[in-house]
Amino acid sequence: MTDATQHPMDGPTPDDALRQAKAADSVDDQGRLLAADGTPLKRSLARSLRVQKIRALALIAPLLLFVLVTFIAPIADMLFRSVENEIVPETLPRTVQLIGDWDHNSGEAPDAELFEAFYYDMAIAAQLKNHTRLGTRLNYEQTGISSLFRQSGRDIEDIGDIYVDQFEDLDEAWEEPATWLALMGDADWRDSYMEWFEGEQAGAPPAFQPSAAASEALPRTVEMYTLFSEFTAGARRDSLAEDEPWPVAYTALYQDLTAQPSATAPFEGEMATLVGVAEDAVADFETVDFRSYFIDEIDEDWGNPEVWATIQTFSGPFTAGYFLNAVDMQETPDGVAMQPDDQRIYGLLFKRTMFMSLTITFCCIALGYPVAYLLATLPMRSANLLMILVLLPFWTSLLVRTSAWKVMLQQQGVINDVLVWLGLVGDGSRLVMINNQFGTIVAMTHILLPFMILPMYSVMSTIPPSYVRAAKSLGATNWTAFWRVYFPQSVPGIGAGSILVFILAIGYYITPEIVGGTTGTFISNRIAYHISSSLNWGLAAALGTILLGVVLILYWAYDRIVGIDNVKLGG
């Protein structure tokens, strides 16, 4: 018999359960639940989740690395190349430092000081074979500069040779590499270098260390000799013990000896005597006026202010010039200006690319929708057979398909022959269907049509046929049932196919190159040209970046108008 005085809510309480859990060693003194190993349950769960995340990351790490290397990194490199201009300040550092003060509106070439700095930059660049790359870069901005730099690189040594001959006529010791080692290098470095040269040390030669005397008395010469030593160490086929320095070092030596009040003071012994004799003799040396020599002896174009204005304009490490060229504009010393009328081609190509890509997309929709509808409504056996025919072009080379259209569309091709045989066109008035926009649209529509059919079919195959039958049973006509019931449900497939076809079309260049001629090519053809032929990678990167931006803007607009959530590939 139960106790009538017991409260109806009497029974086990949370405190009782907590005491029981403590008794079972599943709760610590602070009331925290414990796992089987005795650690707090919360900490154990956090550790388990962390392990799961690490495992998941390890599973997708190869894919992430692949995407990073093959997609993200190339795009980042493209973006950097579209504004990078480091070759100018790296190749002409002394010139860039001074050219900012030159007035390009003066109508005259720069003064002798800038030409002197340019001489040193060009002489070093010619030895390092960088002057041709620099000329190619500046030639993108002004035609003819490339040949000017190539010729100047061949003739620049003549200036140094004038001083080489005079120093060697003064004393034969100046043509001995050992003299330069003793004059320029620190004593400890010379000992270490000779040990390396004689084979007593393995590996790379020790880095050049100038002596304190040379650094104080002959700073320009030390700078040139240091660059020469770095070059010989990198080449690994020359050595400072066997090769005399570049001619530009002799020019620097002459200028150091004429600039210093007493260059012999820091030196001792034979080197002091050698330098002292040279210091007394340089006053009678034949000298070179760098400005006159460049203009009168090397090339008169160095007296053209436009050449120097181009160098001045593109003297920074970064430039907007590539992007301006990509939109038919140019960067000038006076600011941004439009390109001449006969050079404005990229705006036209962008417009043509957009128009033809949209046209190809609409053609694919018009031709692909009936096929996809037929595939979705036919019995499975017949649909599978038609699907094989849709996929058949994927098993044929792109070049073969494009070349086949070139054969069919030409004036003496199959289509024109059939039209002439039917009497629809005269033999003397055959249709021009190749090497123009029509040929490009036809060939690319054929190539991209499967990419439209497959997404539409995958969506249409999920639409229940009972919806259309229900609409008809309620009195709708065939057209009304299709337009009001079936078509709206197929729009996501049209959207997916349209995005896929349009993005593929806007970046195509092989087919337009073969069948497009001069009026049917895309902007991608110019990008391919600049990458493979003109090697103007900066302009190609700028064009590619703009094309990427256009695609992203259109994608954003599509998302705002239609909604990307409405795009489906099936299901």
Side-chain angles (χ1 to χ4, degrees):
M1 184 174 179
T2 60
D3 187 0
T5 62
Q6 184 178 5
H7 194 278
M9 295 299 295
D10 288 345
T13 65
D15 291 338
D16 296 334
L18 185 61
R19 284 192 294 270
Q20 294 176 4
K22 286 183 177 181
D25 294 331
S26 60
V27 176
D28 61 8
D29 295 336
Q30 300 177 4
R32 295 178 299 182
L33 293 176
L34 301 178
D37 58 357
T39 61
L41 182 60
K42 184 177 181 180
R43 185 187 307 169
S44 179
L45 289 174
R47 184 172 57 200
S48 177
L49 290 174
R50 185 165 56 251
V51 171
Q52 290 182 1
K53 290 179 180 179
I54 293 175
R55 289 177 179 174
L57 182 61
L59 289 174
I60 65 173
L63 177 60
L64 289 177
L65 182 62
F66 177 79
V67 171
L68 178 65
V69 172
T70 62
F71 185 72
I72 304 299
I75 290 179
D77 182 68
M78 177 184 68
L79 293 173
F80 176 72
R81 285 182 182 273
S82 63
V83 296
E84 182 268 336
N85 191 52
E86 293 179 352
I87 185 173
V88 179
E90 287 181 355
T91 309
L92 305 176
R94 300 163 185 82
T95 306
V96 167
Q97 189 175 2
L98 296 177
I99 201 170
D101 298 329
W102 172 67
D103 182 10
H104 63 274
N105 293 318
S106 63
E108 297 181 358
D111 57 16
E113 182 184 9
L114 197 149
F115 270 95
E116 179 182 328
F118 182 70
Y119 159 72
Y120 281 103
D121 288 335
M122 271 296 295
I124 296 170
Q127 294 292 343
L128 301 177
K129 308 301 181 186
N130 290 335
H131 64 293
T132 54
R133 293 177 55 242
L134 175 61
T136 300
R137 164 66 188 98
L138 295 176
N139 199 72
Y140 298 148
E141 313 301 334
Q142 182 178 346
T143 304
I145 290 187
S146 178
S147 59
L148 178 62
F149 271 83
R150 282 199 302 270
Q151 178 184 341
S152 301
R154 292 191 296 267
D155 299 339
I156 197 72
E157 280 193 7
D158 294 343
I159 297 177
D161 287 339
I162 294 175
Y163 295 102
V164 171
D165 295 338
Q166 295 181 91
F167 274 106
E168 292 180 351
D169 290 342
L170 182 65
D171 193 320
E172 292 182 355
W174 287 112
E175 61 181 310
E176 296 296 331
T179 300
W180 288 90
L181 279 175
L183 180 67
M184 295 282 104
D186 178 75
D188 294 337
W189 170 81
R190 288 200 307 271
D191 295 339
S192 178
Y193 190 88
M194 292 309 298
E195 290 179 3
W196 170 85
F197 176 70
E198 293 170 358
E200 299 179 12
Q201 288 186 11
F208 172 70
Q209 295 292 332
S211 66
S215 299
E216 177 185 349
L218 308 171
R220 288 192 180 186
T221 312
V222 168
E223 181 184 5
M224 296 300 109
Y225 195 80
T226 301
L227 293 172
F228 169 68
S229 68
E230 292 173 353
F231 175 77
T232 56
R236 298 301 299 273
R237 63 178 182 273
D238 303 321
S239 71
L240 301 179
E242 294 180 317
D243 297 280
E244 61 179 310
W246 299 327
V248 67
Y250 289 86
T251 307
L253 177 61
Y254 167 80
Q255 293 194 318
D256 281 336
L257 292 176
T258 56
Q260 294 286 352
S262 179
T264 59
F267 294 100
E268 298 177 352
E270 295 182 0
M271 290 300 102
T273 302
L274 183 67
V275 173
V277 173
E279 187 177 20
D280 294 336
V282 292
D284 299 325
F285 273 19
E286 177 189 355
T287 62
V288 175
D289 181 272
F290 297 107
R291 189 178 191 276
S292 299
Y293 198 94
F294 268 97
I295 297 174
D296 299 334
E297 300 295 333
I298 295 181
D299 198 303
E300 62 180 7
D301 283 343
W302 287 118
N304 184 359
E306 293 183 4
V307 172
W308 293 99
T310 301
I311 298 175
Q312 183 186 56
T313 303
F314 296 94
S315 59
F318 301 100
T319 178
Y322 292 125
F323 278 102
L324 292 175
N325 290 339
V327 292
D328 294 330
M329 303 177 75
Q330 59 182 336
E331 188 174 359
T332 68
D334 296 317
V336 178
M338 293 298 299
Q339 292 276 12
D341 292 340
D342 58 346
Q343 298 181 22
R344 300 178 189 176
I345 60 173
Y346 296 113
L348 174 64
L349 285 175
F350 273 114
K351 293 177 183 177
R352 180 192 298 169
T353 300
M354 295 297 298
F355 167 74
M356 295 181 65
S357 297
L358 289 173
T359 301
I360 292 167
T361 302
F362 286 125
C363 289
C364 287
I365 294 174
L367 296 175
Y369 195 94
V371 176
Y373 179 80
L374 192 62
L375 288 170
T377 54
L378 282 176
M380 185 61 67
R381 181 182 181 87
S382 301
N384 289 339
L385 179 61
L386 289 179
M387 181 60 69
I388 293 176
L389 298 178
V390 171
L391 298 176
L392 188 61
F394 288 123
W395 304 335
T396 308
S397 169
L398 174 64
L399 291 176
V400 171
R401 284 181 281 163
T402 304
S403 300
W405 276 112
K406 193 173 183 66
V407 172
M408 294 180 64
L409 293 175
Q410 63 183 340
Q411 286 186 290
Q412 302 300 324
V414 177
I415 296 178
N416 264 305
D417 285 344
V418 172
L419 294 176
V420 171
W421 179 71
L422 293 175
L424 298 178
V425 297
D427 190 51
S429 57
R430 291 172 174 256
L431 302 178
V432 180
M433 297 181 292
I434 199 67
N435 296 330
N436 52 27
Q437 294 187 15
F438 179 81
T440 301
I441 292 173
V442 170
M444 289 188 61
T445 299
H446 167 245
I447 291 170
L448 298 178
L449 188 58
F451 294 97
M452 180 66 74
I453 293 176
L454 294 177
M456 290 196 295
Y457 166 69
S458 66
V459 172
M460 291 179 181
S461 62
T462 64
I463 301 176
S466 58
Y467 288 1
V468 176
R469 291 197 299 268
K472 291 181 180 179
S473 67
L474 294 175
T477 62
N478 290 335
W479 169 252
T480 302
F482 168 79
W483 185 249
R484 299 289 297 275
V485 177
Y486 190 89
F487 182 79
Q489 297 182 78
S490 66
V491 167
I494 298 175
S498 299
I499 291 177
L500 185 60
V501 169
F502 179 79
I503 292 178
L504 289 174
I506 205 172
Y508 245 66
Y509 71 94
I510 296 178
T511 301
E513 183 70 24
I514 296 176
V515 301
T518 57
T519 62
T521 53
F522 286 11
I523 192 66
S524 52
N525 295 101
R526 296 302 298 177
I527 295 175
Y529 166 76
H530 287 306
I531 289 176
S532 60
S533 298
S534 73
L535 302 182
N536 190 350
W537 289 6
L539 180 55
L543 291 170
T545 302
I546 293 175
L547 191 61
L548 175 63
V550 169
V551 171
L552 292 178
I553 290 173
L554 291 174
Y555 184 84
W556 173 82
Y558 184 92
D559 181 43
R560 297 284 293 182
I561 297 172
V562 179
I564 201 65
D565 294 337
N566 294 324
V567 174
K568 295 181 181 179
L569 292 174

